[in-house]
Amino acid sequence: MPGESRPQGVRRVAVIAAPPVSMFNLAIPEMLFGKVEIDGRPGYETVICAPDPGPVTTTGGLDLVVPHGLDAVAAADTVVLAGSGSSTDTDPRILDALRGAAADGKRIASICTGAFALAEAGLLDGRAATTYWAYRQRLADRHPSVDLQDDVLFVQDGPVLTSSGYAAGIDLCLHVIRTDHGAAVANTVARLALVAPVRPGGQTQFTQTPLPPERGASFADTRAWAMAHLDEPLGLTDLARHAGVSVRTLSRRFHAETGVSPLQWLLHQRVERAKELLETTPLAMDQVARASGLGTADSLRGHLTRRTGLTPSAYRASFNRLTADATV
């Protein structure tokens, strides 16, 4: 609650409901942040707020009772603006709260059309950002100073994050959880919420309609098989053989299903496995590299540094609760 004390180590998230708010957008942060536990204690406290506490209209025509006002923003570490059915004329009180949060150095995020309010508040000027693809041109026309990124799930530019539509808000929140607590915690939350593990922000917002599969099945089984064999030197030929298709067919249909190429998907899963091992085991760096399929400690260092900005030893020091002397 705003103004009340909170347990030590708990991060507070204020979710702003700008009417008419999307109920789905509004539910995402509470659902995901509410599932984070660190050493048996909640990792986050999520507070939903609005300019006027009380009934808030939704895009579905229902009213939600929001008990907290925008003073919750001042008490938060992270501010999330849920998507709204209106992309213009944001309540000036919301804009003032967003500008105040930015001035205080808080992390600020938007889901879907929430990016319009961030842009209206001036927080996206000169920053890389995204929104739901159907509204991209409208945002570009109204706010030409925003560096809009085409066809990505989410973008982080400094302390400001924006996501594209609907389920991409899940990816954004999982990214925040991973940033705060590491890949193992984020992937646990994803499993509890029955959603896909953390996806890279650069993955496409939507995929092309896949062609009818020749054998009447997707590549879900092949992806599950690859996850169980990440420590092996898998390549396109191995994946195609398991799927029972040609390499060309695998590449075309895999991209249609996932939005990325088979090798991009495989590399992402290997880096995620390496991060989990760094967080949850005392394995030496060369063992982590072999177990995740990245080969050598040098390869592990290169891929992890590019993805996180941290060396393996720095990543382990930041996120591993075990005592480990391994360095790289």
Side-chain angles (χ1 to χ4, degrees):
M1 301 293 181
E4 295 182 5
S5 62
R6 51 180 154 161
Q8 186 176 5
V10 175
R11 291 175 167 87
R12 179 171 284 159
V13 179
V15 184
I16 301 176
V21 69
S22 163
M23 291 188 291
F24 181 64
N25 280 192
L26 196 61
I28 288 170
E30 193 283 327
M31 175 183 71
L32 296 174
F33 293 125
K35 286 181 167 53
V36 175
E37 286 193 0
I38 307 299
D39 298 328
R41 298 189 300 273
Y44 297 92
E45 176 186 272
T46 305
V47 177
I48 299 175
C49 60
D52 296 306
V56 173
T57 58
T58 70
T59 53
L62 302 176
D63 283 350
L64 294 177
V65 177
V66 176
H68 304 294
L70 293 177
D71 55 334
V73 172
D77 304 299
T78 298
V79 180
V80 179
L81 189 64
S84 168
S86 175
S87 59
T88 59
D89 301 322
T90 304
D91 190 311
R93 292 171 293 178
I94 292 178
L95 300 179
D96 286 343
L98 290 171
R99 293 180 184 119
D104 290 341
K106 299 180 187 295
R107 180 168 54 194
I108 302 175
S110 67
I111 298 175
C112 194
T113 54
F116 282 83
L118 297 193
E120 193 173 347
L123 304 188
L124 298 184
D125 290 348
R127 290 189 184 275
T130 192
T131 190
Y132 182 40
W133 64 268
Y135 297 105
R136 183 195 178 281
Q137 191 58 50
R138 187 184 306 176
L139 183 60
D141 292 341
R142 290 180 181 169
H143 302 282
S145 60
V146 178
D147 180 16
L148 275 175
Q149 304 295 298
D150 289 327
D151 194 19
V152 295
L153 292 178
F154 62 86
V155 175
Q156 178 167 4
D157 190 329
V160 179
L161 301 91
T162 52
S163 78
S164 57
Y166 302 109
I170 295 174
D171 297 291
L172 182 147
C173 290
L174 288 174
H175 171 73
V176 169
I177 294 168
R178 181 177 65 182
T179 300
D180 290 344
H181 300 292
V185 172
N187 288 335
T188 295
V189 169
R191 287 192 292 269
L192 289 173
L194 299 178
V195 298
V198 181
R199 296 185 292 176
Q203 186 166 324
T204 55
Q205 289 188 28
F206 57 93
T207 59
Q208 299 174 356
T209 303
L211 298 175
E214 289 85 343
R215 301 185 63 176
S218 74
F219 291 130
D221 288 344
T222 295
R223 291 195 296 272
W225 172 80
M227 290 292 291
H229 295 82
L230 287 178
D231 59 332
E232 300 176 15
L234 300 179
L236 286 174
T237 301
D238 303 293
L239 296 174
R241 183 183 301 114
H242 183 273
V245 298
S246 68
V247 169
R248 182 177 180 180
T249 297
L250 172 85
S251 299
R252 173 172 52 87
R253 286 171 45 199
F254 196 102
H255 192 284
E257 286 186 15
T258 66
V260 294
S261 73
L263 293 183
Q264 287 175 319
W265 178 87
L266 196 60
L267 178 59
H268 177 72
Q269 301 305 328
R270 282 174 164 156
V271 173
E272 289 300 304
R273 176 67 55 79
K275 287 159 72 175
E276 286 206 40
L277 292 172
L278 289 169
E279 294 171 31
T280 59
T281 76
L283 291 174
M285 298 307 173
D286 57 344
Q287 293 175 303
V288 170
R290 288 196 299 270
S292 59
L294 292 175
T296 66
D298 285 342
S299 177
L300 168 65
R301 171 190 279 269
H303 287 299
L304 194 68
T305 302
R306 280 192 293 273
R307 294 294 182 93
T308 69
L310 298 174
T311 64
S313 56
Y315 187 90
R316 169 169 275 168
S318 297
F319 295 113
N320 196 339
R321 297 175 186 83
L322 301 175
T323 300
D325 296 326
T327 59
V328 64

